[in-house]
């Protein structure tokens, strides 16, 4: 029989070794021996749940070990030691710490231990307790008890379920039996009916009993059904159906509103205009009425039928079957395609008709109808464009709450796919008409009206506030009124830049615009932009110091009046650079159009020039490009879809560069390419213009009328057209760039049946500025001969001023005085055609820009050398794009140092070109200087600076701060944070991604600041214990919000109103009862202004009518961008870039940047911002609500 237990001794020795090295607790303890009076000192080591003891600290082999799992440890008193040893020794033994390890079963003797120090003993007890796994065992026991309990519950539920199942089976059997009995009784009753007719009425007591039984059965049935209904109401399916029904109800309301809008369009505009077209003196023709409204009446009838069907479905509630309605609607939506395709032409016809004063007066009379609610005809014409996206959103929501097994699921998904397919077509058309609607909206804001905005070829570029500096005679600035000017804002102007005109307006207190009586409308073709003041002008020498180099001049030279100068002052250097870049680009577009097109039209017809028609790549769809019907500012069809290569080709096409295309490209290029690719393309254009430019573009660039003579016949009934040629300055003109005064070159040609080209070898041209073409007879034309007079520099500088008759309306700073025209008297009719090709005229202008020939070129060689012309044009284009990029998108270079260095290297390479013209050299130096300035934004206060400045020794409290101080500093903080958002964060919906803090840190900072300010307002109100103080705080915050509204800080208004609408504040009925009626009325007015109803309709209208600076609500623009991003993809299925989408995104970004660029003139007050940025004052949402319940408890039900 086995007497001992075998164990793995080697493993035990290994554990003992580990215990000596890494044990949880190690040290000397005294162990009680078998004899009760003897104690042996051993060296103990605890490892996990095993306690080893050794003879000494250096012993390698353990003397024994104890397994501690399941044991307990407790302190024991010192054993009695009477009569043992001297008294001192007994006292020392009594002071020692004794404890015992109990193993919990009878077969094991307790282990008695002692140590010298009490602290050491407690540590040993704690270590042994943990090694015993007592807590785990207790927890296991508790879990086991719970498990047993749950098993019992499950068994009980199984038994109960089995019993209920048997009861149901028994009840089913009983029901079947009762049914059979009822059938048998009914048959018996039918047989016995003849015999019961003579029987007397039933006993009254029986009737009462039956009545009571019937009542009880009804009560039991109602109780049972009530339970069933309540269970269903709380179920997820019922919740989903409630949301689905609510979506349908909302859809019916929206459809009713849409039908009402169509009713106003048809009965308020279409039918009255038809009647007016039939009058004796019609203000509009029937064709124009049909073009404007097209099938609007049919759309109204269609939606009236659809609306009636929806109401019929509602009448059958709660059964809502909608799929068949959409099945009826889908085949009829082709009329929407027709309406969409006509929408662009419709707005163009409407704009042309408005030039008729009788029609304009009649239209304003119709729009004054109270049913229109101040909306214009263009607004009603746009409503059908947004109806299909509304249906798509509704179907998305319906499908989200429609079960997969629902009978309508497949039909709704099919309807959604068809509507999305139609929406892709409509989305592009809506973006194409955005510009016309913008122009018409600005025209309505101008009290006097502005006919040039009714020209549908005008493209809106930018708007903003500039200060017009008053001037006196001889163009010198008046410094007398400058001090009062900045204080009283007498010179503040609201300026609008379009592709052909520059508008200068004042704004009244009601938001309406008034054009200046003199110089309110500037035609850019008559303007010369001057960036720097003239060095020879004594008054202008000091203007740089007075204005801080923020001023620029526009010299206007109208053909029918004396020239004048407009001096404008920008708020900052960055904004000045942006204005300069846009204006110079618009001027370049007009002048390049005059050079590069066969005919330069002065009327407002939207026609495609002959040069564009002859190049199919500019208007014909291909595998890598698709065009829109809309024309851009250069009268070239806009790109709808294109490959990256074709977009870069359009960017570097030397014949034209539309500023709206350039803005869109630079705003959105990072979606489909990189900055390095764009810069590489520009570098290729500069270094290898002939290999980088399409061959067809080069052919058309040098095409003369000798190749196409007689191909284009001009209608003799067309109005007189004038072609003006001048050298397009690559960038803004600086009068300090050359000591020679700028002169102009202008070649005007009559309208002839044949269009020719100038033979540069004979240096002759024909011109007749007054002749008009007639098919029958034509007066003898005059011929202009171009002379190149050898005039030395001193002679030019000493020459008197040139007569105004020698100057063309298109001023060029790079045309010298020695190139002029003289008109011989006699010429034959054979030379009646204009013989100047675009390339030749460009060569004449650019060749003379240097006022001398660089080495290797004389004037004649430079004029006739095609390579030189292309090189100069390519250099102009590269500098133009770089100027625009650097001045308006400086953040690209601040964040990408490699890109910045590459641009600097390219510009330095341009400067080393020996054939570089003086104007090009000046432009390159300006770009280099702008790119090298590191302190551009030093004048702007940053949030980090404010946080550092808020370390005041004493913090202000809410009571000591005035409402004005709070509103001004809230506005300052909001604008600083809003201004810091770089435009690239608005691309790609980065604020909705998981890594939003890394992708869009500044947008998230703006959102966090909005929440912090709203929390601060709510926390400040809840800090007051008494009702009156809380009411006073609410009134003060509402006053702060109203001042923010006056400062155009609508973000601050929404921060405060959202705080006051929080549940913790809104539920304080006793507090709101103390608030005055005036404050409540003001609160309602502010909430209506910033309401999200109708896609922030009121806020958008308010922003249109206010002068910057302003702080809009960022969430409004983020919603627009999200709608665009989700509605259309970035690339088509063929991999082409969706450039129509890029234009819509760019339009929103330009509007945001317009508000970012204009800064407030508010002084920073650290004491106020310290209070506003103090996070310690903010209470979290849950604590706020608990505090609200504590201040004003809920009323008992």
């Amino acid at each position: 029989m086995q007497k001992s237990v075998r164990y793995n001794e080697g493993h035990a020795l290994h554990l003992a070794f580990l215990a000596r090295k890494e044990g949880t607790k190690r040290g000397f303890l005294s162990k009680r021996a078998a004899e009760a009076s003897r104690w042996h000192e051993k060296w103990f080591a605890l490892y996990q749940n095993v306690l080893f003891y050794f003879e000494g600290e250096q012993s390698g082999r353990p003397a024994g070990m104890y397994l501690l799992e399941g044991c307990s440890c407790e302190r024991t008193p010192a054993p009695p030691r009477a009569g043992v040893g001297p008294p001192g020794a007994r006292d020392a033994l009594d002071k020692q710490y004794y404890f015992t390890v109990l193993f919990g079963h009878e077969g094991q003797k307790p282990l008695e231990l002692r140590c010298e120090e009490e602290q050491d003993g407690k540590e040993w007890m704690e270590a042994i307790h943990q090694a015993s796994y007592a807590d785990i065992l207790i927890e296991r026991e508790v879990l086991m008890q719970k498990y047993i309990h749950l098993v019992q519950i499950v068994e009980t539920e199984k038994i109960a379920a089995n019993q209920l199942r048997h009861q149901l089976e028994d009840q089913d059997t009983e029901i079947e039996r009762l049914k059979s009995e009822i059938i048998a009784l009914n048959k018996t009753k039918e047989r016995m009916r003849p015999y019961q007719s003579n029987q007397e009425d039933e006993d009254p007591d029986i009737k009462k009993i039956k009545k009571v039984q019937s009542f009880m059965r009804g009560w039991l049935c109602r109780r049972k059904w009530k339970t069933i209904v309540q269970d269903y109401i709380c179920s997820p399916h019922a919740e989903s159906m409630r949301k689905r029904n609510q979506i349908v109800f909302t859809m019916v309301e929206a459809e009713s509103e849409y039908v009402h809008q169509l009713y106003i369009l048809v009965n308020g505009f279409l039918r009255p205009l038809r009647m007016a077209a039939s009058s004796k003196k019609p203000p509009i023709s029937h064709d124009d009425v049909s073009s404007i409204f097209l099938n609007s009446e049919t759309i109204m009838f269609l939606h009236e039928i659809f609306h009636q069907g929806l109401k019929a479905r509602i009448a059958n509630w709660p059964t809502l079957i909608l799929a068949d309605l959409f099945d009826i609607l889908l085949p009829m939506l082709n009329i929407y395609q027709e309406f969409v395709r006509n929408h662009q032409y419709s707005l163009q016809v409407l704009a042309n008709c408005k030039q008729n004063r009788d029609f304009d007066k009649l239209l304003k009379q119709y729009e004054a109808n109270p049913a229109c609610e101040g909306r214009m005809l263009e607004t009603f014409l746009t409503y059908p464009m947004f109806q299909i996206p509304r249906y798509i959103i509704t179907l998305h929501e319906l499908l989200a709450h429609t079960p997969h097994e629902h009978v309508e699921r497949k039909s709704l998904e099919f309807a959604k796919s068809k509507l999305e397919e139609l929406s892709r077509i409509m989305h592009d058309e809506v973006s194409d008409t955005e510009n016309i609607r913008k122009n018409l909206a600005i025209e309505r804001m101008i009290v006097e009206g502005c006919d040039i905005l009714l020209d549908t070829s005008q493209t809106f570029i930018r708007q903003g506030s500039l200060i017009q500096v008053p001037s006196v005679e001889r163009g010198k600035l008046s410094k007398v009124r400058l001090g009062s000017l900045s204080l009283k804002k007498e010179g503040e102007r609201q300026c609008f830049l379009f592709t052909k005109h520059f508008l200068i307006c004042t704004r009244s207190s009601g938001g309406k615009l008034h054009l200046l009586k003199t110089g309110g409308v500037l035609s850019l073709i008559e303007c010369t932009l001057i960036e720097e003041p003239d060095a020879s002008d004594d008054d202008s020498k000091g203007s740089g110091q007075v204005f801080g180099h923020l001023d620029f001049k526009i010299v206007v030279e109208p053909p029918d009046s004396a020239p004048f100068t407009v001096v404008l002052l920008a708020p900052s250097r960055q904004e000045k650079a942006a204005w300069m870049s846009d204006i110079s680009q618009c001027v370049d577009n007009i002048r390049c159009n005059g050079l590069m097109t066969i005919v330069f039209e002065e009327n407002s017809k939207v026609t495609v020039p002959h040069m564009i028609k002859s190049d199919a790549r500019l208007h014909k769809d291909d595998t890598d490009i698709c065009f829109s019907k809309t024309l851009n500012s250069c009268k070239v069809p806009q790109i709808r879809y294109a490959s990256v290569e074709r977009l870069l080709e359009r960017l570097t096409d030397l014949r034209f560069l539309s500023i709206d295309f350039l803005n869109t490209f630079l705003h959105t290029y990072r979606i489909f390419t990189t900055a390095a690719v764009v810069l590489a393309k520009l570098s290729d254009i500069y270094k290898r213009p002939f290999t980088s430019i399409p061959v067809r573009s080069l052919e058309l660039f040098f095409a003369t009328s000798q190749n196409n003579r007689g191909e284009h016949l001009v209608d003799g009934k067309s109005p007189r057209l004038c072609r003006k040629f001048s050298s397009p300055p690559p960038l803004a003109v600086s009068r300090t760039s050359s000591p020679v005064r700028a002169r102009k070159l202008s070649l005007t040609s009559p309208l002839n049946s044949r269009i020719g080209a100038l033979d540069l070898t004979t240096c002759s041209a024909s011109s007749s500025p007054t002749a008009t073409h007639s098919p029958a007879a034509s007066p003898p034309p005059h011929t202009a001969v171009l002379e190149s007079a050898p005039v030395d520099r001193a002679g030019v500088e000493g020459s008197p001023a040139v007569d105004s008759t020698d100057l063309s309306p298109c001023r060029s700073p790079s045309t010298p005085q020695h190139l002029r025209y003289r008109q011989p008297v006699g010429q034959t009719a054979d030379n009646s055609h204009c013989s100047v090709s675009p390339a030749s005229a460009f060569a004449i202008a650019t060749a003379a820009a240097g006022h001398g020939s660089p080495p290797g070129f004389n004037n004649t060689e430079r004029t006739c050398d095609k390579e030189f012309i292309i090189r100069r044009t390519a250099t102009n284009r590269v500098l133009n794009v770089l100027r625009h990029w650097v001045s308006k998108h400086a953040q690209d270079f601040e964040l990408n140092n490699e890109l910045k260095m590459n641009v600097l290297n390219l510009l330095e390479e341009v400067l080393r070109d020996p054939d570089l013209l003086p104007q090009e050299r000046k432009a390159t130096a300006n770009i280099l200087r702008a790119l090298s300035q590191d302190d551009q934004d030093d004048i702007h206060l940053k949030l980090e600076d404010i946080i550092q400045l808020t370390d005041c020794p004493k913090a202000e409290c809410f009571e000591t701060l005035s409402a004005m101080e709070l509103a001004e500093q809230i506005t300052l903080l909001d604008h600083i944070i809003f201004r810091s958002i770089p435009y690239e964060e608005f691309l790609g919906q980065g604020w909705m991604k998981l890594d939003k803090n890394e992708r869009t840190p500044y947008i998230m900072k703006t959102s966090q600041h909005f929440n912090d300010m709203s929390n601060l307002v709510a926390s400040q109100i809840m800090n007051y214990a008494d009702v009156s103080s809380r009411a006073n705080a609410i009134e003060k915050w509402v006053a702060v919000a109203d001042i923010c509204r006056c400062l155009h800080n609508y973000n601050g208004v929404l921060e405060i109103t959202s705080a006051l609408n929080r549940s913790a504040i809104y539920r304080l009925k006793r507090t709101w009862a103390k608030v005055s009626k005036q404050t409540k009325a003001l609160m309602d007015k502010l909430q209506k202004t910033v309401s999200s109803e109708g896609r922030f309709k009121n806020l958008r209208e308010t922003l249109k009518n206010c002068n910057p600076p302003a702080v809009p609500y960022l969430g409004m623009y983020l919603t627009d961008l999200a709608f665009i991003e989700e509605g259309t993809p970035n690339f088509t299925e063929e991999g082409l870039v969706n450039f129509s989408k890029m234009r819509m995104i760019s339009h929103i970004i330009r509007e945001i940047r317009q508000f970012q660029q204009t800064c407030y003139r508010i002084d920073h007050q650290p004491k106020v911002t310290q209070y506003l940025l103090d996070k310690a004052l903010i209470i979290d949402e849950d604590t706020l609500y608990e505090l609200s319940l504590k201040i004003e408890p809920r009323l008992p039900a």
Side-chain angles (χ1 to χ4, degrees), residues 264-273 293 366-367 372 377 380:
I264 296 173
L265 176 64
V266 172
N267 293 280
F269 294 97
L270 173 57
R271 291 171 180 170
L273 285 176
F293 296 94
Y366 293 157
E367 290 173 346
C372 295
L377 174 58
F380 286 99

Side-chain angles (χ1 to χ4, degrees), residues 207-223:
K207 289 183 178 180
K208 290 179 181 179
I209 291 172
K210 288 183 177 179
K211 189 174 182 179
V212 171
Q213 289 176 343
S214 176
F215 174 78
M216 291 299 296
R217 281 195 299 270
W219 179 78
L220 290 172
C221 184
R222 286 193 301 272
R223 183 179 179 183

Side-chain angles (χ1 to χ4, degrees), residues 12 100 114 432 554 557-558 587 638 682 734 753 951 1003 1058 1108 1136:
T100 305
R114 75 180 182 188
D432 290 341
I554 300 177
E557 297 172 304
V587 174
Q638 286 186 350
L682 294 175
S734 173
S753 60
D951 299 332
I1003 289 180
S1058 63
L1136 303 182

Side-chain angles (χ1 to χ4, degrees), residues 576-635:
K576 174 191 173 182
W579 275 104
M580 295 288 300
S581 178
D582 284 338
I583 296 174
S584 63
Q585 183 63 49
C586 290
V587 174
D588 291 349
N589 282 345
I590 295 175
R591 294 176 179 176
C592 286
N593 286 343
L595 282 170
M596 303 304 174
T597 57
I598 300 299
V599 176
F600 181 86
E601 295 186 341
E602 288 183 338
N603 60 356
S604 62
K605 286 186 177 180
V606 183
T607 59
V608 182
H610 296 293
M611 183 182 66
I612 298 172
K613 286 184 178 179
S614 61
D615 188 358
R617 291 174 63 85
L618 295 180
H619 60 84
K620 188 176 180 180
D621 293 350
D622 203 345
T623 55
D624 58 351
I625 196 167
C626 178
F627 292 96
S628 169
K629 295 180 181 179
T630 311
L631 306 181
N632 62 20
S633 57
C634 294
K635 297 187 179 180

Side-chain angles (χ1 to χ4, degrees), residues 521-535:
V521 180
L522 306 181
S523 178
L524 293 180
I525 201 169
E526 302 167 353
C527 296
T528 300
L529 184 62
I530 301 176
E531 180 176 3
E532 298 177 2
D534 193 354

Side-chain angles (χ1 to χ4, degrees), residues 368-382:
N369 188 341
C372 295
E373 299 178 351
R375 292 171 289 185
M376 299 179 292
L377 174 58
E378 305 92 74
T379 305
F380 286 99
L381 289 173
T382 309

